[in-house]
Amino acid sequence: MSAERPSGRAPTAEGTALVVVDLQNDFCAGPVAAARYPGDPGRLATVAERTARAVDAARAAGVEVLHVRFLGDPHHQGPSWRRRDALLGKRPKCLEGSWGAEFADALAPAPGERVFTKRACFDAFLGDGFETHLARSAVRHLVFAGLFTDVCVDSTARTAFQKGFHVTVLEDCTAALHLPDEQILGFMSRLYGARVTTHDHVDTWSRLPGNEDPCSAPPRRTASSRTAGSRTASG
């Protein structure tokens, strides 16, 4: 799979792109994902299913879909990454050419949709061609879905904000690994002005935020949903 594919058609929703982050088997399906995730692994499957719906909605609305993938092969890792893995006993994930590195079922890129590769890094802006493509396509607003909210999604959203992009996060299309979901979503809303919404509000997230549409706080949750979505600092 190439780092960047030629575009098949111009998006009609001007200025917005849906960025699908790392929805690969080692992160959301199979034994590696289940062993690493501190909550119910079924949550990861739900994230993938809802993201697939968001992708379908984006395509129908003319919003460009950008796919970001991670490769963790040791030869891609820097010295600090290798030292951390050795100290914590972490094994590399999403090895190039493996099933674990493939996109989850129903989330394979459509013909013409671009794929950007991160090699042992969190931030899509460090991947080949990502920022260049955004500039060429006049994208000003990034809508994020994928894994994990507090790792690669946050790392990319942070850079996006600092580079002047508007940020939206689909809170039901992502999950945190180390922090409570509400905590990281609230942090992104406060620090980046991120608009937090759900995949089914396509009329909201498919357009640029404006002054008349202030950033929203993460939806309030019931006690039962907070318990189900709680995280511990592990992984």
Side-chain angles (χ1 to χ4, degrees), residues 71-96:
L71 294 178
D73 301 71
H75 64 272
H76 295 317
Q77 299 171 6
S80 58
W81 193 291
R82 291 194 294 270
R83 176 181 177 274
R84 182 208 63 176
D85 282 6
L87 288 173
L88 300 180
K90 289 177 173 285
R91 301 184 65 179
K93 293 167 284 294
C94 297
L95 300 178
E96 191 161 10

PDB file of all heavy atoms in Angstrom, residues 71-96:
ATOM      1  N   LEU A  71       2.912   2.051  11.261  1.00  0.00           N
ATOM      2  CA  LEU A  71       3.800   0.901  11.129  1.00  0.00           C
ATOM      3  C   LEU A  71       4.816   0.966  12.267  1.00  0.00           C
ATOM      4  O   LEU A  71       5.492   1.986  12.441  1.00  0.00           O
ATOM      5  CB  LEU A  71       4.514   0.903   9.785  1.00  0.00           C
ATOM      6  CG  LEU A  71       3.649   0.709   8.534  1.00  0.00           C
ATOM      7  CD1 LEU A  71       4.506   0.784   7.273  1.00  0.00           C
ATOM      8  CD2 LEU A  71       2.876  -0.608   8.586  1.00  0.00           C
ATOM      9  N   GLY A  72       4.921  -0.115  13.037  1.00  0.00           N
ATOM     10  CA  GLY A  72       5.779  -0.093  14.215  1.00  0.00           C
ATOM     11  C   GLY A  72       7.013  -0.957  14.136  1.00  0.00           C
ATOM     12  O   GLY A  72       7.609  -1.278  15.174  1.00  0.00           O
ATOM     13  N   ASP A  73       7.423  -1.339  12.947  1.00  0.00           N
ATOM     14  CA  ASP A  73       8.593  -2.203  12.794  1.00  0.00           C
ATOM     15  C   ASP A  73       9.812  -1.610  13.510  1.00  0.00           C
ATOM     16  O   ASP A  73      10.041  -0.395  13.462  1.00  0.00           O
ATOM     17  CB  ASP A  73       8.929  -2.374  11.315  1.00  0.00           C
ATOM     18  CG  ASP A  73       7.777  -2.973  10.530  1.00  0.00           C
ATOM     19  OD1 ASP A  73       6.758  -2.263  10.336  1.00  0.00           O
ATOM     20  OD2 ASP A  73       7.879  -4.127  10.110  1.00  0.00           O
ATOM     21  N   PRO A  74      10.623  -2.449  14.142  1.00  0.00           N
ATOM     22  CA  PRO A  74      11.783  -1.935  14.877  1.00  0.00           C
ATOM     23  C   PRO A  74      12.702  -1.047  14.052  1.00  0.00           C
ATOM     24  O   PRO A  74      13.279  -0.094  14.582  1.00  0.00           O
ATOM     25  CB  PRO A  74      12.493  -3.215  15.332  1.00  0.00           C
ATOM     26  CG  PRO A  74      11.388  -4.220  15.484  1.00  0.00           C
ATOM     27  CD  PRO A  74      10.434  -3.908  14.364  1.00  0.00           C
ATOM     28  N   HIS A  75      12.842  -1.325  12.758  1.00  0.00           N
ATOM     29  CA  HIS A  75      13.746  -0.495  11.964  1.00  0.00           C
ATOM     30  C   HIS A  75      13.193   0.898  11.717  1.00  0.00           C
ATOM     31  O   HIS A  75      13.918   1.794  11.265  1.00  0.00           O
ATOM     32  CB  HIS A  75      14.111  -1.177  10.635  1.00  0.00           C
ATOM     33  CG  HIS A  75      12.963  -1.381   9.701  1.00  0.00           C
ATOM     34  ND1 HIS A  75      12.166  -2.500   9.729  1.00  0.00           N
ATOM     35  CD2 HIS A  75      12.484  -0.608   8.695  1.00  0.00           C
ATOM     36  CE1 HIS A  75      11.244  -2.421   8.786  1.00  0.00           C
ATOM     37  NE2 HIS A  75      11.411  -1.283   8.147  1.00  0.00           N
ATOM     38  N   HIS A  76      11.891   1.123  12.004  1.00  0.00           N
ATOM     39  CA  HIS A  76      11.323   2.464  11.926  1.00  0.00           C
ATOM     40  C   HIS A  76      11.500   3.222  13.243  1.00  0.00           C
ATOM     41  O   HIS A  76      11.341   4.444  13.277  1.00  0.00           O
ATOM     42  CB  HIS A  76       9.824   2.410  11.616  1.00  0.00           C
ATOM     43  CG  HIS A  76       9.496   1.854  10.271  1.00  0.00           C
ATOM     44  ND1 HIS A  76      10.201   2.187   9.121  1.00  0.00           N
ATOM     45  CD2 HIS A  76       8.517   0.988   9.872  1.00  0.00           C
ATOM     46  CE1 HIS A  76       9.673   1.553   8.089  1.00  0.00           C
ATOM     47  NE2 HIS A  76       8.661   0.820   8.517  1.00  0.00           N
ATOM     48  N   GLN A  77      11.776   2.520  14.328  1.00  0.00           N
ATOM     49  CA  GLN A  77      11.795   3.127  15.652  1.00  0.00           C
ATOM     50  C   GLN A  77      13.089   3.897  15.904  1.00  0.00           C
ATOM     51  O   GLN A  77      14.169   3.452  15.546  1.00  0.00           O
ATOM     52  CB  GLN A  77      11.631   2.044  16.719  1.00  0.00           C
ATOM     53  CG  GLN A  77      10.334   1.262  16.634  1.00  0.00           C
ATOM     54  CD  GLN A  77      10.325   0.080  17.574  1.00  0.00           C
ATOM     55  OE1 GLN A  77      11.231  -0.100  18.373  1.00  0.00           O
ATOM     56  NE2 GLN A  77       9.279  -0.733  17.491  1.00  0.00           N
ATOM     57  N   GLY A  78      12.934   5.046  16.575  1.00  0.00           N
ATOM     58  CA  GLY A  78      14.098   5.796  17.012  1.00  0.00           C
ATOM     59  C   GLY A  78      14.642   5.221  18.310  1.00  0.00           C
ATOM     60  O   GLY A  78      14.023   4.346  18.940  1.00  0.00           O
ATOM     61  N   PRO A  79      15.812   5.689  18.762  1.00  0.00           N
ATOM     62  CA  PRO A  79      16.422   5.156  19.987  1.00  0.00           C
ATOM     63  C   PRO A  79      15.529   5.279  21.212  1.00  0.00           C
ATOM     64  O   PRO A  79      15.475   4.356  22.027  1.00  0.00           O
ATOM     65  CB  PRO A  79      17.693   6.002  20.130  1.00  0.00           C
ATOM     66  CG  PRO A  79      18.003   6.483  18.754  1.00  0.00           C
ATOM     67  CD  PRO A  79      16.681   6.678  18.095  1.00  0.00           C
ATOM     68  N   SER A  80      14.821   6.391  21.349  1.00  0.00           N
ATOM     69  CA  SER A  80      13.968   6.574  22.528  1.00  0.00           C
ATOM     70  C   SER A  80      12.787   5.609  22.504  1.00  0.00           C
ATOM     71  O   SER A  80      12.377   5.089  23.547  1.00  0.00           O
ATOM     72  CB  SER A  80      13.462   8.014  22.610  1.00  0.00           C
ATOM     73  OG  SER A  80      12.740   8.368  21.439  1.00  0.00           O
ATOM     74  N   TRP A  81      12.252   5.339  21.316  1.00  0.00           N
ATOM     75  CA  TRP A  81      11.135   4.390  21.180  1.00  0.00           C
ATOM     76  C   TRP A  81      11.606   2.985  21.563  1.00  0.00           C
ATOM     77  O   TRP A  81      10.933   2.280  22.304  1.00  0.00           O
ATOM     78  CB  TRP A  81      10.615   4.430  19.745  1.00  0.00           C
ATOM     79  CG  TRP A  81       9.302   3.751  19.524  1.00  0.00           C
ATOM     80  CD1 TRP A  81       9.050   2.412  19.577  1.00  0.00           C
ATOM     81  CD2 TRP A  81       8.051   4.376  19.216  1.00  0.00           C
ATOM     82  NE1 TRP A  81       7.730   2.154  19.309  1.00  0.00           N
ATOM     83  CE2 TRP A  81       7.089   3.336  19.080  1.00  0.00           C
ATOM     84  CE3 TRP A  81       7.659   5.688  19.016  1.00  0.00           C
ATOM     85  CZ2 TRP A  81       5.760   3.597  18.756  1.00  0.00           C
ATOM     86  CZ3 TRP A  81       6.333   5.952  18.698  1.00  0.00           C
ATOM     87  CH2 TRP A  81       5.402   4.920  18.583  1.00  0.00           C
ATOM     88  N   ARG A  82      12.767   2.596  21.053  1.00  0.00           N
ATOM     89  CA  ARG A  82      13.299   1.263  21.357  1.00  0.00           C
ATOM     90  C   ARG A  82      13.619   1.120  22.846  1.00  0.00           C
ATOM     91  O   ARG A  82      13.370   0.066  23.445  1.00  0.00           O
ATOM     92  CB  ARG A  82      14.541   0.990  20.507  1.00  0.00           C
ATOM     93  CG  ARG A  82      14.249   0.823  19.016  1.00  0.00           C
ATOM     94  CD  ARG A  82      15.440   0.231  18.282  1.00  0.00           C
ATOM     95  NE  ARG A  82      16.576   1.136  18.294  1.00  0.00           N
ATOM     96  CZ  ARG A  82      16.809   2.048  17.358  1.00  0.00           C
ATOM     97  NH1 ARG A  82      15.970   2.195  16.344  1.00  0.00           N
ATOM     98  NH2 ARG A  82      17.879   2.819  17.419  1.00  0.00           N
ATOM     99  N   ARG A  83      14.164   2.170  23.453  1.00  0.00           N
ATOM    100  CA  ARG A  83      14.474   2.124  24.879  1.00  0.00           C
ATOM    101  C   ARG A  83      13.200   1.973  25.701  1.00  0.00           C
ATOM    102  O   ARG A  83      13.148   1.167  26.634  1.00  0.00           O
ATOM    103  CB  ARG A  83      15.211   3.398  25.297  1.00  0.00           C
ATOM    104  CG  ARG A  83      15.502   3.488  26.804  1.00  0.00           C
ATOM    105  CD  ARG A  83      16.221   4.775  27.155  1.00  0.00           C
ATOM    106  NE  ARG A  83      16.432   4.870  28.594  1.00  0.00           N
ATOM    107  CZ  ARG A  83      15.528   5.358  29.452  1.00  0.00           C
ATOM    108  NH1 ARG A  83      14.358   5.782  28.994  1.00  0.00           N
ATOM    109  NH2 ARG A  83      15.792   5.409  30.737  1.00  0.00           N
ATOM    110  N   ARG A  84      12.169   2.738  25.355  1.00  0.00           N
ATOM    111  CA  ARG A  84      10.901   2.624  26.068  1.00  0.00           C
ATOM    112  C   ARG A  84      10.330   1.221  25.968  1.00  0.00           C
ATOM    113  O   ARG A  84       9.900   0.624  26.965  1.00  0.00           O
ATOM    114  CB  ARG A  84       9.889   3.632  25.512  1.00  0.00           C
ATOM    115  CG  ARG A  84       8.549   3.616  26.237  1.00  0.00           C
ATOM    116  CD  ARG A  84       7.405   4.054  25.355  1.00  0.00           C
ATOM    117  NE  ARG A  84       7.199   3.164  24.222  1.00  0.00           N
ATOM    118  CZ  ARG A  84       6.201   3.296  23.347  1.00  0.00           C
ATOM    119  NH1 ARG A  84       5.364   4.316  23.448  1.00  0.00           N
ATOM    120  NH2 ARG A  84       6.075   2.440  22.350  1.00  0.00           N
ATOM    121  N   ASP A  85      10.328   0.661  24.771  1.00  0.00           N
ATOM    122  CA  ASP A  85       9.779  -0.680  24.587  1.00  0.00           C
ATOM    123  C   ASP A  85      10.564  -1.714  25.396  1.00  0.00           C
ATOM    124  O   ASP A  85       9.983  -2.644  25.964  1.00  0.00           O
ATOM    125  CB  ASP A  85       9.780  -1.050  23.106  1.00  0.00           C
ATOM    126  CG  ASP A  85       8.630  -0.398  22.345  1.00  0.00           C
ATOM    127  OD1 ASP A  85       7.902   0.418  22.947  1.00  0.00           O
ATOM    128  OD2 ASP A  85       8.457  -0.697  21.149  1.00  0.00           O
ATOM    129  N   ALA A  86      11.879  -1.542  25.435  1.00  0.00           N
ATOM    130  CA  ALA A  86      12.704  -2.482  26.208  1.00  0.00           C
ATOM    131  C   ALA A  86      12.414  -2.361  27.703  1.00  0.00           C
ATOM    132  O   ALA A  86      12.295  -3.367  28.405  1.00  0.00           O
ATOM    133  CB  ALA A  86      14.177  -2.229  25.929  1.00  0.00           C
ATOM    134  N   LEU A  87      12.280  -1.149  28.192  1.00  0.00           N
ATOM    135  CA  LEU A  87      12.032  -0.929  29.620  1.00  0.00           C
ATOM    136  C   LEU A  87      10.667  -1.454  30.049  1.00  0.00           C
ATOM    137  O   LEU A  87      10.510  -2.015  31.138  1.00  0.00           O
ATOM    138  CB  LEU A  87      12.135   0.557  29.955  1.00  0.00           C
ATOM    139  CG  LEU A  87      13.541   1.166  29.949  1.00  0.00           C
ATOM    140  CD1 LEU A  87      13.458   2.682  30.128  1.00  0.00           C
ATOM    141  CD2 LEU A  87      14.398   0.549  31.058  1.00  0.00           C
ATOM    142  N   LEU A  88       9.664  -1.264  29.192  1.00  0.00           N
ATOM    143  CA  LEU A  88       8.288  -1.621  29.543  1.00  0.00           C
ATOM    144  C   LEU A  88       7.861  -2.978  28.985  1.00  0.00           C
ATOM    145  O   LEU A  88       6.728  -3.405  29.206  1.00  0.00           O
ATOM    146  CB  LEU A  88       7.329  -0.538  29.047  1.00  0.00           C
ATOM    147  CG  LEU A  88       7.561   0.864  29.620  1.00  0.00           C
ATOM    148  CD1 LEU A  88       6.550   1.856  29.041  1.00  0.00           C
ATOM    149  CD2 LEU A  88       7.487   0.859  31.144  1.00  0.00           C
ATOM    150  N   GLY A  89       8.746  -3.637  28.264  1.00  0.00           N
ATOM    151  CA  GLY A  89       8.403  -4.942  27.711  1.00  0.00           C
ATOM    152  C   GLY A  89       7.368  -4.881  26.602  1.00  0.00           C
ATOM    153  O   GLY A  89       6.599  -5.831  26.409  1.00  0.00           O
ATOM    154  N   LYS A  90       7.335  -3.792  25.867  1.00  0.00           N
ATOM    155  CA  LYS A  90       6.367  -3.642  24.779  1.00  0.00           C
ATOM    156  C   LYS A  90       6.877  -4.341  23.517  1.00  0.00           C
ATOM    157  O   LYS A  90       8.062  -4.233  23.188  1.00  0.00           O
ATOM    158  CB  LYS A  90       6.128  -2.155  24.479  1.00  0.00           C
ATOM    159  CG  LYS A  90       5.338  -1.414  25.547  1.00  0.00           C
ATOM    160  CD  LYS A  90       5.228   0.050  25.169  1.00  0.00           C
ATOM    161  CE  LYS A  90       4.317   0.814  26.114  1.00  0.00           C
ATOM    162  NZ  LYS A  90       2.904   0.521  25.873  1.00  0.00           N
ATOM    163  N   ARG A  91       5.978  -5.004  22.839  1.00  0.00           N
ATOM    164  CA  ARG A  91       6.323  -5.631  21.571  1.00  0.00           C
ATOM    165  C   ARG A  91       5.822  -4.761  20.426  1.00  0.00           C
ATOM    166  O   ARG A  91       4.781  -4.112  20.542  1.00  0.00           O
ATOM    167  CB  ARG A  91       5.710  -7.029  21.482  1.00  0.00           C
ATOM    168  CG  ARG A  91       6.164  -7.957  22.599  1.00  0.00           C
ATOM    169  CD  ARG A  91       5.614  -9.347  22.428  1.00  0.00           C
ATOM    170  NE  ARG A  91       6.140 -10.001  21.239  1.00  0.00           N
ATOM    171  CZ  ARG A  91       5.830 -11.236  20.868  1.00  0.00           C
ATOM    172  NH1 ARG A  91       4.981 -11.961  21.595  1.00  0.00           N
ATOM    173  NH2 ARG A  91       6.351 -11.767  19.779  1.00  0.00           N
ATOM    174  N   PRO A  92       6.538  -4.707  19.310  1.00  0.00           N
ATOM    175  CA  PRO A  92       6.102  -3.868  18.192  1.00  0.00           C
ATOM    176  C   PRO A  92       4.773  -4.337  17.622  1.00  0.00           C
ATOM    177  O   PRO A  92       4.477  -5.536  17.592  1.00  0.00           O
ATOM    178  CB  PRO A  92       7.236  -4.005  17.172  1.00  0.00           C
ATOM    179  CG  PRO A  92       7.926  -5.275  17.533  1.00  0.00           C
ATOM    180  CD  PRO A  92       7.796  -5.419  19.019  1.00  0.00           C
ATOM    181  N   LYS A  93       3.982  -3.386  17.189  1.00  0.00           N
ATOM    182  CA  LYS A  93       2.656  -3.665  16.628  1.00  0.00           C
ATOM    183  C   LYS A  93       2.585  -3.142  15.198  1.00  0.00           C
ATOM    184  O   LYS A  93       3.366  -2.294  14.793  1.00  0.00           O
ATOM    185  CB  LYS A  93       1.580  -2.988  17.498  1.00  0.00           C
ATOM    186  CG  LYS A  93       1.456  -3.596  18.886  1.00  0.00           C
ATOM    187  CD  LYS A  93       0.642  -2.739  19.809  1.00  0.00           C
ATOM    188  CE  LYS A  93       1.389  -1.536  20.311  1.00  0.00           C
ATOM    189  NZ  LYS A  93       2.524  -1.876  21.185  1.00  0.00           N
ATOM    190  N   CYS A  94       1.620  -3.661  14.470  1.00  0.00           N
ATOM    191  CA  CYS A  94       1.382  -3.234  13.084  1.00  0.00           C
ATOM    192  C   CYS A  94       2.652  -3.360  12.248  1.00  0.00           C
ATOM    193  O   CYS A  94       3.125  -2.393  11.633  1.00  0.00           O
ATOM    194  CB  CYS A  94       0.844  -1.801  13.055  1.00  0.00           C
ATOM    195  SG  CYS A  94      -0.750  -1.592  13.868  1.00  0.00           S
ATOM    196  N   LEU A  95       3.199  -4.561  12.234  1.00  0.00           N
ATOM    197  CA  LEU A  95       4.384  -4.823  11.420  1.00  0.00           C
ATOM    198  C   LEU A  95       4.015  -4.809   9.944  1.00  0.00           C
ATOM    199  O   LEU A  95       2.987  -5.369   9.543  1.00  0.00           O
ATOM    200  CB  LEU A  95       4.997  -6.159  11.806  1.00  0.00           C
ATOM    201  CG  LEU A  95       5.446  -6.292  13.268  1.00  0.00           C
ATOM    202  CD1 LEU A  95       5.995  -7.684  13.522  1.00  0.00           C
ATOM    203  CD2 LEU A  95       6.481  -5.234  13.611  1.00  0.00           C
ATOM    204  N   GLU A  96       4.852  -4.186   9.159  1.00  0.00           N
ATOM    205  CA  GLU A  96       4.555  -4.029   7.737  1.00  0.00           C
ATOM    206  C   GLU A  96       4.333  -5.391   7.082  1.00  0.00           C
ATOM    207  O   GLU A  96       5.104  -6.328   7.257  1.00  0.00           O
ATOM    208  CB  GLU A  96       5.706  -3.302   7.047  1.00  0.00           C
ATOM    209  CG  GLU A  96       5.380  -2.861   5.638  1.00  0.00           C
ATOM    210  CD  GLU A  96       6.318  -1.782   5.133  1.00  0.00           C
ATOM    211  OE1 GLU A  96       7.335  -1.509   5.804  1.00  0.00           O
ATOM    212  OE2 GLU A  96       6.017  -1.227   4.062  1.00  0.00           O
TER     213      GLU A  96
END
